[in-house]
Amino acid sequence: MRVLALTSGGDAPGMNMVLAYLFVKFKFKLYVARAGFRGLINNDITKITDFEPLKNAKKAGSCIKCSRCSAFATEEGFAKGLENAKRFDIIVVLGGNGSYRGCQQLAESGVRTIFIPATIDNDVANNDYSLGYHTAVDACENTINNTMPSIDAMDRCVIFEVMGRHCPRIASCVYHKSQADYLITSKKDINYPKIVEIVKNKHEIGQASSIILQENIIKMQTIVKNINKLYPELEVCTVKIGHVQRGSAPTSIELEFAKGFARKAIEAITKKDKSYAILYRQNKFVLEEFKEENK
């Protein structure tokens, strides 16, 4: 059996552990498409041993590289990818909702496909957990915990921008875990009189304040300017946590999730004969055939 694996979209901590498990099972029958669907289109395919999967198992990122490949959504790009995919018995794809749709297309075109949710945003439909989420939240907590003592020493306010694309899960979880003072996950949350009232009350009693901002909502400097218009006495700082969330080493919990997804994928590959998404629901890993609502 010839197995092809690829990691698509943004990288997510835990991907490398899944690849290592697949290598242990399939050894030299495991191939990879470098940089996701882009590698599949360009036939940039090689044996996984070129990327030292066991050495990289507990590292963040993806040793076989990732990319966001809009070309795969075109008729020409998909046709090229499909032609290369048909050289393998099965394809394993780690990624988010866009990757799910790519898997669904391949499956509908006769390529046996396995999908594993791997996106720090944790926004794959019908799925409770995606690889990378726990590490991303943990990285935010660590950054905030290591920043706030300095902010508190100067009685300042700080805005932390976290990743999440268009999903509020990371921001909301970090807000509660860090006991921050204000949360912005949509434009409706931008209420400057309310924000200023909160941070002013804390500043006047000698306490620092913090605001959690989900990316893609508003620029941090715009918030700073508007707070300072209403309360110029307060110094407001900004911290964009950014790729620390992707680049932090997978937590022990993350690695266990990765192993669970990998084991279920291996079960689907060796004991089943259809295409499946490996999902995590109600505290267990499940096999599910591709569904229309994920499109």
Side-chain angles (χ1 to χ4, degrees):
M1 175 180 285
R2 282 163 50 93
V3 180
L4 178 68
L6 61 88
T7 51
S8 175
D11 55 293
M15 284 180 165
N16 283 327
M17 180 59 77
V18 173
L19 295 172
Y21 257 64
L22 293 176
F23 171 68
V24 169
K25 175 63 179 179
F26 298 106
K27 298 292 191 299
F28 301 105
K29 296 179 181 179
L30 178 63
Y31 294 77
V32 296
R34 190 179 188 278
F37 288 119
R38 187 174 70 195
L40 186 63
I41 290 173
N42 296 332
N43 196 27
D44 189 358
I45 295 172
T46 184
K47 288 187 176 180
I48 196 172
T49 47
D50 293 349
F51 298 94
E52 300 183 291
L54 298 182
K55 179 181 177 181
N56 289 290
K58 294 185 179 181
K59 294 181 180 179
S62 169
C63 64
I64 64 172
K65 310 298 180 180
C66 293
S67 72
R68 293 185 173 89
C69 181
S70 58
F72 194 70
T74 67
E75 185 175 341
E76 181 182 0
F78 180 76
K80 289 181 179 179
L82 178 62
E83 182 181 355
N84 292 322
K86 285 183 175 179
R87 294 162 42 204
F88 297 89
D89 297 295
I90 192 161
I91 294 183
V92 181
V93 178
L94 287 76
N97 283 317
S99 304
Y100 182 102
R101 289 189 290 272
C103 287
Q104 189 171 36
Q105 283 184 283
L106 288 171
E108 290 170 351
S109 300
V111 177
R112 196 167 163 231
T113 312
I114 300 294
F115 168 79
I116 296 176
T119 166
I120 66 169
D121 306 325
N122 197 23
D123 61 350
V124 172
N126 305 311
N127 177 60
D128 295 339
Y129 190 83
S130 298
L131 276 181
Y133 177 70
H134 187 272
T135 303
V137 171
D138 186 69
C140 290
E141 283 190 83
N142 289 337
T143 299
I144 292 171
N145 290 339
N146 289 330
T147 302
M148 285 309 296
S150 177
I151 299 301
D152 185 66
M154 301 294 288
D155 292 339
R156 292 169 173 159
C157 173
V158 60
I159 303 169
F160 292 102
E161 184 185 274
V162 303
M163 285 185 169
R165 296 190 71 193
H166 306 294
C167 178
R169 287 188 176 181
I170 291 177
S172 297
C173 186
V174 170
Y175 166 74
H176 291 292
K177 283 179 171 290
S178 67
Q179 298 183 316
D181 299 292
Y182 200 82
L183 173 65
I184 299 175
T185 58
S186 72
K187 292 191 181 296
K188 293 180 181 179
D189 298 324
I190 305 171
N191 183 333
Y192 290 113
K194 184 176 181 180
I195 294 171
V196 169
E197 180 184 6
I198 291 171
V199 300
K200 182 179 180 181
N201 287 341
K202 296 201 72 172
H203 185 249
E204 288 180 344
I205 59 174
Q207 293 183 4
S209 53
S210 59
I211 298 169
I212 306 299
L213 170 66
Q214 179 187 328
E215 66 177 348
N216 299 319
I217 304 297
I218 187 174
K219 291 182 179 179
M220 287 188 286
Q221 288 302 325
T222 300
I223 301 176
V224 173
K225 289 178 182 178
N226 282 283
I227 290 176
N228 286 151
K229 283 180 183 178
L230 297 175
Y231 191 41
E233 296 86 354
L234 178 64
E235 184 177 355
V236 184
C237 305
T238 61
V239 176
K240 186 173 183 177
I241 299 178
H243 284 83
V244 170
Q245 293 165 256
R246 294 191 189 278
S248 293
T251 63
S252 58
I253 290 174
E254 198 77 75
L255 293 175
E256 289 306 310
F257 271 110
K259 293 172 186 177
F261 278 117
R263 292 187 191 105
K264 200 67 177 178
I266 291 169
E267 175 190 328
I269 293 169
T270 57
K271 298 180 181 180
K272 308 291 181 178
D273 59 0
K274 295 182 180 180
S275 294
Y276 294 101
I278 312 297
L279 303 177
Y280 186 77
R281 287 205 299 261
Q282 298 180 341
N283 299 315
K284 62 182 180 179
F285 298 95
V286 298
L287 299 178
E288 183 172 276
E289 294 184 47
F290 293 104
K291 289 188 175 181
E292 185 75 16
E293 58 261 33
N294 285 73
K295 283 189 174 182

